[in-house]
Amino acid sequence: TGYPTRWEDQTKYRGGWVVDGQRQKSLRLRLQGKWGTLTNIFYNPYLPTLDDYFEPWTYDYQNLINAPLADEQPTARAISMVTGKYMDTIEAGPNWDDDLGGSQVYANNDPNFDGASDEEMRQ
């Protein structure tokens, strides 16, 4: 559901703005104020982690270029850009769920629809 995972979940990443106060409403950043900015320069516990992005990878293009002539098409296996080892499965990545945009599968996991009624979800 997005990239990084649940990127629109403002309670998880503390993004966006909030309105403070009952009478005199003021707009402030959800994450921090002036002094919080100084403390979060070097460490921010709410930033997405590598697990939220999934491990970056590339492909073994040399296998395509240097493969000997054969009846079968050579393949380029995925290689982790973190460890340098071959990856057997890829579970997520940029634009991973773009094909699900507008589908019920995506909508059920979208944090923007948390708290929506069943009737609102059907529309």
Side-chain angles (χ1 to χ4, degrees):
T1 53
Y3 186 75
T5 303
R6 294 184 60 87
W7 71 276
E8 290 181 328
D9 188 348
Q10 300 303 328
T11 57
K12 180 177 181 179
Y13 296 118
R14 304 273 176 108
W17 300 83
V18 292
V19 177
D20 273 344
Q22 294 283 335
R23 287 184 164 184
Q24 291 186 345
K25 296 183 179 186
S26 62
L27 192 62
R28 69 170 180 81
L29 286 171
R30 181 184 306 267
L31 178 61
Q32 63 211 18
K34 292 178 194 175
W35 298 110
T37 303
L38 291 175
T39 61
N40 286 341
I41 286 176
F42 300 106
Y43 174 71
N44 184 344
Y46 302 107
L47 288 178
T49 64
L50 184 61
D51 291 336
D52 295 321
Y53 284 99
F54 193 70
E55 190 171 354
W57 73 92
T58 187
Y59 293 97
D60 184 6
Y61 294 110
Q62 291 301 316
N63 188 44
L64 297 177
I65 296 167
N66 299 328
L69 290 176
D71 291 335
E72 295 84 24
Q73 177 74 23
T75 59
R77 289 184 62 192
I79 300 174
S80 167
M81 293 183 75
V82 175
T83 64
K85 297 179 181 178
Y86 285 111
M87 300 173 66
D88 292 326
T89 57
I90 297 174
E91 299 171 8
N95 302 324
W96 190 259
D97 52 13
D98 278 1
D99 290 340
L100 299 177
S103 77
Q104 199 61 32
V105 173
Y106 185 76
N108 288 338
N109 295 311
D110 191 331
N112 291 317
F113 293 121
D114 289 350
S117 69
D118 290 337
E119 183 177 332
E120 290 170 328
M121 289 299 288
R122 281 192 298 271
Q123 295 177 1

